[in-house]
Amino acid sequence: MSRALLILFAALLVCLSVSIFGENFIASRYAYYYDILITIGINVILAASLNLVNGYTGQFSLGHAGFMAVGAYTSASWSNHLDPYIVGWLGGAGSPFATNVAFLISMLLAGILAGVAGFAVGVPSLRVKGDYLAIVTLGFGEIIRVTILNTDFVGASRGLSVAGSYTNLFWTYGSVLVCVYVVLGLVHSTYGRGFLTVRDDEVAAEAMGINTTKYKVMAFVVASFFAGIAGALYAHFKAFLTPEGFNFFRSVDVVVFVILGGMGSTIGVVLAAVMLTILPEVLRALSHTQFVPPAYQGLLENRLILYSLLLIILMLTRPQGLFGDPGAIRKRFTRSGGN
Amino acid sequence: MDRLLEIVQQLVNGVSLGSIYALIALGYTMVYGVLRFINFAHGDIYMLGAYSGFLLAPFFSHFFRFGEFDTFTPQNTLFILSGAGLIMVLSMAICAVIGVLIERIAYRPLRQRPRLNVLITAIGVSLFLQNITQYRLGADPKAFPQLIPVHVVEGLGNLTILTSQLAIIVATILLLFFLRLIVMRTKMGMAMRALSLNPTACSLMGVNNDVVISFTFALGSALAAAAGILVSMDSPSINPLMGNLPGIKAFVAAVLGGIGNIPGAALGGLIIGILETLVVAIGFPQWRDGIAFAVLIVILLFKPTGLLGKPEREKV
Amino acid sequence: MGRFFLVIVIGLAWNCCARAGVKIGAVTCLTGALSTFGVSSVQGAKLAAEEINSNGGVLGAPVELIVEDNGSKAGEAATIARKFISQDKVAAILGDLTSSATMEAAPLAQAAKIPILTPSATNVAITQIGDYVFRSCFIDPFTGKVMARFALDHLGAKRAILLTDIKQDYSVGVSDALRLYFTENGGQIIGSISYSSGDTDFRTQLTEVRSRHPDVIFLPAYYTEAALILRQARQLGINTPFVGGEGWDSPALVRVAGKSADGNYYTNHFSASDPSDRVKAFVEKYRAKYHSTPDALAALWYDGARLLFLAVKKAGSSDCAKIRDALASTRDFDGVTGIISIDQNRNASKPGVILTIQDGETKMVQRVMP
């Protein structure tokens, strides 16, 4: 077994132990911090998976929330309708084995369906590049959201209540570990070479016989799989889903993680996700003190104003983000007419 | 006969809607032509145009007596139109300046950098404009002042066309005419066309590329602002997020017509407007927004250069 | 040195004891797309808190209202609920503004056995979550019933068109109730037409309405779309009266719709022009503090906060179970939004008002009993 895999298993074991021994204590005494911890985990998965598409493969996707929505609603519907049978079959509602296995099935299903959606988005997307791709992915994200809004089975505008709050530290951080492992593993393999070539110079890659289609679609599918997992974790933690919760602004949130962290740097985006999840809570705490003059409080609390300024300033001053590699960002298009 | 009337009615609705998309699409297409870049924040210029009109109107409201006229009469038509026209021109000017400023501050420094960077900046600018407006002026919809009396146009029998719809269509035709004049008959227009063909050759010929680009942004933003005012005369409810959907649909229109192609943008706008109206007319109002995305996907799959566009070879 | 420490310890202890006031957590949308509603709601709640604190507070100490903002974003309400529960250790939660945010927070409050009262979320499913979840406004089915009743009795309408916003839970909920009640009581829904919030052009739908010649048009919409629909309807020559719900309640409705708003009706929780003393006093106090007329949300949250304070007083302590019981046994509370009693489903049994718009002003037509 490779060393990386061993490390993964060790880390998963640590997660499991923390969860078994500490979970209830943390969840009940420190519910607020617990919430933040789980949210960090979910955001890290979203960021790391989007980084695979945006950062490593250079395909600018603005529809990541759509895949998260597919995963969230899939796992919620599954849990709502089929869990009673599965849990009953496996040992009854009191058995942690039964509920956890049921949740695992639910999560995997969420990931797979989201992956299928990723495939459906990836295939037409291979025809377009750059700016168009951004709009197409935005469009797909919106189409997914509008479809959910018009589907009565999943609650439409009423929203969907999720039975069973199965998300815990083990599942969350276990998924984080698996996600990071898979992403890093792919990137450091021959597939990774493929992704990077597509990012750096798609025309040259095609000219050299590399099947850019395969790599682009693979990146989309893997990323959306994990977005689906993140969605499942979210659904079973917040216990209520609405289509509005997976709109364009949610996608923008994740994009900001990736840009701030540095496209192409997994550790960077992980850190960025952690920072930007904690930041609003810090701001919330600040708003109750006298530190910030009331006139500016509204500005600080308006996350999107800060994020948008952050994006602009980052692009103007430090486009590689906090941890990205400046050399790895190369021109992907030449202007027709030469320059 | 009734059926025919209904169809013509819906066509008129569609053309009126499409004119708005056309005006916004022109800005996208012109900027793409000279910079090969999609200005994500363009839809929000449309929103700022509406808000400019909203903020300006009270100053002129007393003189032009906005909202006091109930119908158009031969006596008051000129007076009313000049009042509305003034507000529109002023808003266009304000947004032209805003457009140039945005280009100068956020896009110009990134001209040599990868296009992805400037796309991200554009997203940042768009979000910033929306949210700062929301913050300073409130997220709730505001009532746009009544610049022209809105009523059914007389003398058309059973056909219900509103003065506001007529205003949109006529104004768009006039603006398109002026645009064509500028692009085809002035030196600046020629410079714009040259720049979209070959920027290097252009600067070698002594053209100040930066000035031409600024002018393009100014022109596009002015058109978007005009669209914002026109649509607010028809639907007097404005809000900070109103530029989102029309912006995306106008972008699709520009792509449909062939991005970079000016007549194409106008054509694309009309087609999208008519299609959207048809979708609602046949009974699927919940898909009215989705139709634009569907068109985008179809166009990009089958004819990415658009209806009137020329295939572009990517040179390496 | 020892004396110094003693002073510190006594000072801290004094501080802690002095700050032993009851803590109530209030969560609403202060920023984001719903910020104007949120600001109204919190202003109403804060007015109630100020009022009661200037009269000696609750249980002998000033009540502390901890206000949090959910940013009109999904997922935040749950985080805030957890914060209230574990961090601030509140005795009760006032919130949330919208049904979807309340659906996030309520299960957490229920699990932690902390009473939660929403003054404005109308989805029926909320109070079904558990016995610690309360609501002090009426629910969508009530609105639908009131609208239908009014059309049948006051307008003598028999044939109605129903215009529903399929994107909004509220509109769909009220529409369902309307359809049921209207048809059960002799009316006929001759057409159900839909639109989406965010649309600005309703002419296609309205052309169809025009061709059906209804007696009344039901429009359980939010004021953004309602204003435009009323305008465009009149422009198309539709003179049938519209009947709407509380979503219409906003000065922006009349501003955008202009004269087209006249002659229509809507149900509401509250009318600022209500001649009763209680309402007049409230409106005066609100105007003095915030320089604007209170809307229904401000009134609802004002009543909601006072309901909670009263429950704490009745409970005699900040024990959550006692507060819950006190809330559940609220009867004939004299609120600005009517005489409120909490029924066995923990929803509010209270009257509504029907308003009409004349010459750009809203006037009360009648009060409707549950």
Side-chain angles (χ1 to χ4, degrees):
Chain A
M1 235 193 244
S2 75
R3 219 182 66 168
L5 204 57
L6 277 169
I7 297 179
L8 175 68
F9 278 133
L12 282 173
L13 223 63
V14 170
C15 265
L16 188 59
S17 349
V18 168
S19 197
I20 292 180
F21 296 113
E23 184 92 32
N24 283 330
F25 177 71
I26 301 176
S28 48
R29 289 278 297 278
Y30 298 103
Y32 178 49
Y33 298 121
Y34 180 65
D35 188 289
I36 299 179
L37 270 178
I38 302 270
T39 310
I40 289 177
I42 294 175
N43 284 341
V44 167
I45 299 175
L46 287 169
S49 55
L50 185 65
N51 193 26
L52 188 63
V53 174
N54 283 20
Y56 289 113
T57 317
Q59 306 298 302
F60 199 66
S61 167
L62 281 178
H64 214 52
F67 303 123
M68 186 185 176
V70 170
Y73 274 92
T74 307
S75 82
S77 311
W78 179 267
S79 295
N80 284 347
H81 291 109
L82 290 169
D83 262 3
Y85 302 109
I86 298 182
V87 170
W89 189 47
L90 283 170
S95 144
F97 173 72
T99 50
N100 280 306
V101 169
F103 185 48
L104 179 63
I105 299 175
S106 186
M107 268 209 309
L108 286 177
L109 207 70
I112 292 172
L113 256 144
V116 167
F119 184 78
V121 172
V123 165
S125 82
L126 62 83
R127 291 282 207 118
V128 301
K129 301 193 185 60
D131 312 11
Y132 292 107
L133 179 61
I135 305 276
V136 168
T137 50
L138 194 163
F140 272 115
E142 284 298 292
I143 289 177
I144 291 176
R145 193 182 60 81
V146 169
T147 310
I148 293 175
L149 191 62
N150 284 314
T151 311
D152 215 41
F153 176 69
V154 287
S157 59
R158 286 186 312 280
L160 187 64
S161 275
V162 187
S165 55
Y166 300 138
T167 303
N168 57 26
L169 286 172
F170 169 61
W171 286 120
T172 312
Y173 282 91
S175 307
V176 168
L177 287 166
V178 170
C179 177
V180 171
Y181 175 78
V182 167
V183 168
L184 283 177
L186 273 175
V187 163
H188 288 120
S189 68
T190 44
Y191 290 111
R193 295 260 168 269
F195 296 145
L196 291 168
T197 345
V198 170
R199 178 185 78 183
D200 289 343
D201 199 329
E202 213 170 314
V203 179
E206 281 278 358
M208 293 214 303
I210 293 182
N211 189 346
T212 55
T213 314
K214 179 170 106 174
Y215 292 105
K216 287 200 262 189
V217 174
M218 178 182 294
F220 260 105
V221 172
V222 173
S224 43
F225 174 82
F226 283 110
I229 301 268
L233 289 166
Y234 176 92
H236 290 273
F237 186 61
K238 298 287 182 179
F240 190 72
L241 303 174
T242 53
E244 269 316 294
F246 299 103
N247 60 11
F248 172 59
F249 298 123
R250 169 78 76 177
S251 294
V252 167
D253 273 356
V254 186
V255 166
V256 175
F257 297 155
V258 171
I259 304 285
L260 178 64
M263 294 191 281
S265 161
T266 304
I267 186 77
V269 305
V270 167
L271 281 165
V274 173
M275 272 177 18
L276 288 179
T277 311
I278 296 183
L279 183 65
E281 302 305 322
V282 169
L283 291 177
R284 202 198 296 285
L286 270 181
S287 72
H288 288 293
T289 65
Q290 306 302 334
F291 266 7
V292 183
Y296 294 102
Q297 254 175 37
L299 264 180
L300 280 186
E301 286 182 15
N302 200 319
R303 186 144 89 198
L304 280 173
I305 295 187
L306 284 180
Y307 278 14
S308 53
L309 280 175
L310 189 64
L311 280 179
I312 300 174
I313 294 173
L314 267 179
M315 284 299 114
L316 285 175
T317 56
R318 203 189 155 86
Q320 71 269 30
L322 292 176
F323 299 97
D325 172 15
I329 299 189
R330 315 253 219 83
K331 261 175 126 159
R332 288 182 1 252
F333 285 90
T334 50
R335 300 231 198 105
S336 70
N339 207 1
Chain B
M1 202 52 207
D2 239 4
R3 212 77 187 93
L4 185 62
L5 195 70
E6 216 183 286
I7 295 179
V8 172
Q9 179 77 63
Q10 298 299 9
L11 263 178
V12 170
N13 288 341
V15 167
S16 151
L17 184 62
S19 305
I20 300 292
Y21 293 151
L23 287 174
I24 307 175
L26 285 166
Y28 277 116
T29 227
M30 287 195 292
V31 165
Y32 187 85
V34 297
L35 273 183
R36 292 291 179 279
F37 139 73
I38 293 167
N39 182 6
F40 213 98
H42 191 59
D44 300 293
I45 304 285
Y46 157 88
M47 177 270 290
L48 288 176
Y51 269 90
S52 306
F54 170 73
L55 292 169
L56 279 174
F59 293 109
F60 300 94
S61 164
H62 190 72
F63 180 74
F64 282 107
R65 293 153 60 194
F66 292 139
E68 288 181 36
F69 296 106
D70 268 346
T71 56
F72 276 101
T73 68
Q75 295 89 347
N76 66 22
T77 302
L78 200 61
F79 182 64
I80 294 177
L81 287 180
S82 54
L86 179 65
I87 298 291
M88 192 154 101
V89 166
L90 284 176
S91 298
M92 286 167 76
I94 293 177
C95 289
V97 168
I98 295 179
V100 169
L101 276 176
I102 293 177
E103 193 271 325
R104 191 78 190 67
I105 300 176
Y107 303 154
R108 187 175 298 183
L110 298 175
R111 228 179 271 165
Q112 298 306 322
R113 304 265 194 84
R115 265 229 293 296
L116 187 61
N117 291 18
V118 74
L119 175 65
I120 294 168
T121 314
I123 296 176
V125 171
S126 165
L127 287 174
F128 180 72
L129 290 175
Q130 285 171 11
N131 282 284
I132 203 79
T133 309
Q134 213 175 56
Y135 177 65
R136 299 272 18 219
L137 296 173
D140 52 321
K142 299 271 191 283
F144 192 80
Q146 192 180 342
L147 297 179
I148 63 170
V150 179
H151 58 86
V152 180
V153 175
E154 314 277 311
L156 290 174
N158 272 334
L159 205 60
T160 322
I161 302 183
L162 296 169
T163 51
S164 48
Q165 290 178 301
L166 194 61
I168 292 176
I169 298 176
V170 168
T172 305
I173 294 176
L174 283 173
L175 287 168
L176 284 177
F177 176 71
F178 277 120
L179 182 68
R180 187 151 183 86
L181 215 65
I182 295 177
V183 169
M184 289 302 183
R185 294 289 163 90
T186 66
K187 262 171 118 176
M188 186 58 95
M190 186 154 60
M192 277 170 64
R193 280 179 287 141
L195 194 58
S196 69
L197 282 176
N198 192 329
T200 328
C202 221
S203 59
L204 284 176
M205 289 290 129
V207 172
N208 186 339
N209 284 9
D210 287 344
V211 170
V212 179
I213 292 175
S214 291
F215 182 78
T216 312
F217 266 87
L219 203 53
S221 304
L223 289 173
I229 299 282
L230 288 169
V231 93
S232 304
M233 294 202 294
D234 188 38
S235 235
S237 174
I238 64 175
N239 69 80
L241 299 179
M242 68 189 273
N244 267 343
L245 268 177
I248 302 250
K249 292 180 191 171
F251 168 72
V252 175
V255 170
L256 175 61
I259 192 106
N261 185 311
I262 290 178
L267 180 65
L270 279 175
I271 296 179
I272 297 276
I274 293 175
L275 271 177
E276 194 179 307
T277 314
L278 276 178
V279 158
V280 178
I282 60 177
F284 294 107
Q286 60 266 43
W287 296 112
R288 94 182 294 159
D289 296 335
I291 193 76
F293 291 119
V295 167
L296 179 69
I297 294 167
V298 165
I299 261 285
L300 289 176
L301 278 179
F302 296 110
K303 199 171 195 311
T305 48
L307 295 172
L308 300 182
K310 293 181 294 277
E312 247 180 42
R313 293 256 166 273
E314 192 178 331
K315 297 213 190 112
V316 284
Chain C
M1 211 41 174
R3 244 179 290 177
F4 177 66
F5 275 117
L6 195 62
V7 170
I8 300 274
V9 167
I10 292 183
L12 280 173
W14 198 267
N15 217 6
C16 286
C17 288
R19 269 215 246 104
V22 173
K23 288 200 238 188
I24 309 262
V27 57
T28 182
C29 317
L30 291 173
T31 56
L34 299 168
S35 52
T36 26
F37 299 119
V39 167
S40 265
S41 62
V42 93
Q43 281 176 183
K46 279 199 186 149
L47 186 66
E50 255 178 42
E51 218 176 64
I52 206 155
N53 284 342
S54 66
N55 283 336
V58 178
L59 303 179
V63 82
E64 192 186 338
L65 193 70
I66 307 176
V67 177
E68 290 291 357
D69 169 30
N70 70 30
S72 314
K73 273 189 146 242
E76 299 279 308
T79 312
I80 293 172
R82 289 199 168 91
K83 173 177 180 287
F84 282 155
I85 295 170
S86 68
Q87 199 81 332
D88 301 308
K89 303 217 182 8
V90 299
I93 301 179
L94 183 68
D96 200 310
L97 187 75
T98 58
S99 294
S100 47
T102 315
M103 289 292 284
E104 265 179 45
L108 293 167
Q110 175 70 31
K113 301 249 187 294
I114 295 185
I116 179 170
L117 173 80
T118 173
S120 52
T122 55
N123 189 326
V124 180
I126 290 172
T127 36
Q128 290 165 356
I129 289 175
D131 58 346
Y132 274 79
V133 184
F134 294 85
R135 182 198 331 254
S136 64
C137 58
F138 47 71
I139 49 182
D140 293 342
F142 180 72
T143 307
K145 206 160 82 165
V146 171
M147 283 167 68
R149 184 86 271 154
F150 180 75
L152 285 166
D153 297 343
H154 195 104
L155 299 176
K158 283 274 178 296
R159 301 166 67 252
I161 296 247
L162 181 54
L163 273 173
T164 310
D165 181 345
I166 47 164
K167 255 198 197 166
Q168 294 295 339
D169 180 23
Y170 157 74
S171 187
V172 172
V174 174
S175 296
D176 288 342
L178 254 175
R179 196 176 286 119
L180 200 66
Y181 196 81
F182 196 68
T183 44
E184 263 176 15
N185 285 278
Q188 193 197 355
I189 304 273
I190 58 174
S192 290
I193 304 178
S194 60
Y195 66 93
S196 301
S197 47
D199 286 354
T200 50
D201 184 2
F202 307 94
R203 288 184 258 261
T204 321
Q205 290 97 327
L206 289 170
T207 319
E208 182 165 350
V209 172
R210 185 172 66 175
S211 66
R212 306 280 195 99
H213 304 293
D215 297 331
V216 70
I217 307 170
F218 289 123
L219 183 62
Y222 283 112
Y223 68 88
T224 348
E225 284 75 41
L228 291 172
I229 291 175
L230 291 177
R231 234 183 98 98
Q232 289 167 13
R234 296 291 180 255
Q235 282 166 0
L236 284 176
I238 300 175
N239 291 314
T240 329
F242 282 79
V243 174
E246 325 82 84
W248 282 32
D249 184 53
S250 162
L253 182 83
V254 174
R255 266 190 254 130
V256 172
K259 291 203 266 282
S260 320
D262 290 346
N264 298 305
Y265 305 89
Y266 66 100
T267 60
N268 203 6
H269 305 276
F270 160 83
S271 169
S273 60
D274 190 329
S276 77
D277 290 329
R278 170 151 287 307
V279 175
K280 285 224 291 245
F282 166 66
V283 172
E284 246 170 60
K285 260 188 260 187
Y286 191 92
R287 275 211 185 106
K289 184 166 158 82
Y290 299 114
H291 311 294
S292 62
T293 316
D295 59 7
L297 271 174
L300 283 168
W301 279 64
Y302 175 77
D303 276 349
R306 290 192 317 135
L307 270 167
L308 275 180
F309 301 152
L310 183 67
V312 175
K313 225 190 257 189
K314 259 184 18 187
S317 76
S318 48
D319 176 74
C320 294
K322 294 215 184 103
I323 298 178
R324 187 224 85 87
D325 291 335
L327 262 179
S329 59
T330 307
R331 296 281 173 277
D332 300 325
F333 172 81
D334 188 17
V336 298
T337 54
I339 309 279
I340 306 174
S341 295
I342 302 285
D343 68 18
Q344 73 270 30
N345 294 323
R346 294 172 305 285
N347 293 317
S349 178
K350 59 196 288 234
V353 291
I354 307 255
L355 305 174
T356 184
I357 307 169
Q358 272 167 20
D359 300 318
E361 298 232 329
T362 49
K363 293 196 171 38
M364 199 164 97
V365 173
Q366 61 178 107
R367 206 181 282 284
V368 189
M369 289 305 156

